[in-house]
Amino acid sequence: VGPGPARKKDRGAGHRGASRGIPGLQNRQNGAGIITTSSFSEDLKAFAASKGADLAGIVSAFPISEARAYESWLDRGMQAGMGYMENNRPGRGDVRSWYPEAKSALLLGFSYAQPEENVQTARPGTGVLARYSVLPDYHDELKKRLNEILDWVKERNPGTEGKIFVDSSPLLERLFARYAGLGWIGKNTMVISPKLGSYFFIAGIALNTELTSEKSEVDHCGSCRKCIEACPTDAFPQERVLDASK
């Protein structure tokens, strides 16, 4: 897998679920907040859903071997001058390099899809902004929700500590999302969820306690190359490798 940064153009498979978006991120409440599932891991995912998460999965804190492709991607200069992507490059595939106490991580997906009538239409000679880029900045809102989830974890499971991340930490979040069962890595380098497509933000919490891990999502791309062929700047020199300079 050659993860690479998100482009400022939509290259995903789209969204198949109901649109929420920011500020349309929902904050679903389940009555008095009572969780009825049996295991703590399931309770945690249910509580995350009450805070608006459309996807939730858990992965053990272990080094991800595919992270080597990220270093190769940097060596080829495909980060297009984004020097910050060099930071902590050896440790991006291991959450423990960022949070040494980590034993598990909760990965969450928050949809930013919009109604089709709100989506820009490309016209000759004009560009189209990515859907997420026309919304208010999502970082602060998601950090607030993640901290609420972490507070809930600490209250329900004394002794548990954690650290939140919202795509600004030195982690290969898409790979962790894959192993947490949120989706698979498409040939356009995006995480594609069978439920949501690719229009969702990834965020999460590294925790110092063992939780029940998910099965990783299988690859559903098959022989399809629509995303590669549709790219107007020919930004994919090969499948799952994005040249951000194009």
Side-chain angles (χ1 to χ4, degrees):
V1 176
R7 296 292 310 282
K8 295 301 183 183
K9 297 179 181 179
D10 287 329
R11 304 213 187 258
H15 175 85
R16 301 186 183 91
S19 173
R20 307 190 204 286
I22 292 180
L25 276 174
Q26 293 193 358
N27 190 8
R28 298 185 291 273
Q29 298 295 333
N30 53 343
I34 298 173
I35 304 299
T36 57
T37 51
S38 57
S39 74
F40 183 76
S41 295
E42 293 301 316
D43 288 353
L44 174 56
K45 290 185 287 185
F47 186 75
S50 79
K51 293 299 177 181
D54 298 281
L55 302 171
I58 294 169
V59 62
S60 294
F62 65 93
I64 296 178
S65 61
E66 293 99 318
R68 291 191 296 268
Y70 179 75
E71 296 210 40
S72 173
W73 181 79
L74 291 173
D75 291 339
R76 295 165 68 182
M78 292 191 175
Q79 71 273 34
M82 292 181 283
Y84 67 90
M85 303 197 77
E86 294 270 0
N87 298 340
N88 196 37
R89 60 185 287 177
R92 285 180 178 253
D94 187 350
V95 68
R96 296 171 300 179
S97 70
W98 173 72
Y99 181 52
E101 297 83 0
K103 294 183 179 179
S104 301
L106 171 70
L107 272 294
L108 303 172
F110 294 85
S111 172
Y112 63 80
Q114 299 293 301
E116 287 304 314
E117 58 267 23
N118 294 347
V119 177
Q120 294 177 317
T121 301
R123 300 187 302 275
T126 65
V128 178
L129 295 173
R131 300 185 189 204
Y132 79 88
S133 68
V134 299
L135 299 170
D137 184 65
Y138 57 91
H139 293 86
D140 289 344
E141 176 62 27
L142 291 187
K143 286 177 181 178
K144 175 185 174 183
R145 297 186 187 204
L146 291 175
N147 278 317
E148 290 174 350
I149 296 170
L150 181 55
D151 288 342
W152 179 90
V153 170
K154 292 177 179 179
E155 181 181 346
R156 289 289 298 268
N157 199 21
T160 298
E161 298 292 337
K163 193 173 182 180
I164 68 171
F165 52 91
V166 184
D167 87 14
S168 56
S169 302
L171 297 172
L172 297 177
E173 292 161 322
R174 298 182 196 182
L175 287 180
F176 288 106
R178 174 200 167 196
Y179 280 99
L182 269 60
W184 76 96
I185 307 292
K187 294 178 181 179
N188 58 0
T189 78
M190 303 295 285
V191 179
I192 303 175
S193 160
K195 176 183 176 184
L196 299 180
S198 63
Y199 297 150
F200 61 93
F201 300 119
I202 300 173
I205 308 174
L207 297 164
N208 68 344
T209 189
E210 291 281 359
L211 297 174
T212 304
S213 298
E214 320 290 336
K215 292 183 178 179
S216 59
E217 181 63 53
V218 299
D219 187 334
H220 296 283
C221 285
S223 61
C224 177
R225 289 176 50 87
K226 288 184 178 180
C227 60
I228 305 293
E229 295 166 356
C231 180
T233 61
D234 194 26
F236 299 98
Q238 64 191 77
E239 294 175 359
R240 297 183 174 86
V241 176
L242 169 65
D243 184 348
S245 68
K246 296 185 176 182

